[in-house]
Amino acid sequence: HDALPICAENKALTPIESQSLYYFAANILAQSNSNDFDQIIALLNKAIEVAPESQYNSELKNVIDYVQGVKDKAASTPVEDTADLK
């Protein structure tokens, strides 16, 4: 997933292609059971930023809200209980 954001910065790509790569990077990070919610949110925000006119931005914003909710829940859950958040 680390290479995808680097690839997304390639100027030869269309904004939608770059957006897709940022989304895929966020998705891979989330699927790897990462608790790096800030990085996931940053990648999703970057996906919106590179394609501000994209038809997918409202869905990306919904995903950001969801991840923020999981992050908030994890912050208020004792460490031994966080496995249930996945």
Side-chain angles (χ1 to χ4, degrees):
H1 64 83
D2 292 335
L4 291 174
I6 294 168
C7 293
E9 296 174 12
N10 185 329
K11 301 298 182 203
L13 298 176
T14 68
I16 295 297
E17 291 169 333
S18 292
Q19 182 177 63
S20 295
L21 288 173
Y22 282 114
Y23 171 76
F24 292 148
N27 193 8
I28 291 168
L29 187 58
Q31 294 298 320
S32 70
N33 291 324
S34 172
N35 288 332
D36 192 351
F37 302 115
D38 291 331
Q39 180 63 21
I40 294 167
I41 292 169
L43 288 165
L44 293 168
N45 278 320
K46 189 67 175 176
I48 293 170
E49 180 185 316
V50 296
E53 304 299 321
S54 171
Q55 66 189 28
Y56 304 109
N57 286 348
S58 63
E59 184 61 31
L60 289 169
K61 289 175 186 173
N62 289 338
V63 174
I64 290 169
D65 290 344
Y66 174 79
V67 173
Q68 185 64 52
V70 172
K71 176 185 173 186
D72 294 344
K73 185 174 180 181
S76 65
T77 303
V79 173
E80 62 273 5
D81 293 340
T82 58
D84 296 335
L85 297 175
K86 302 288 181 208

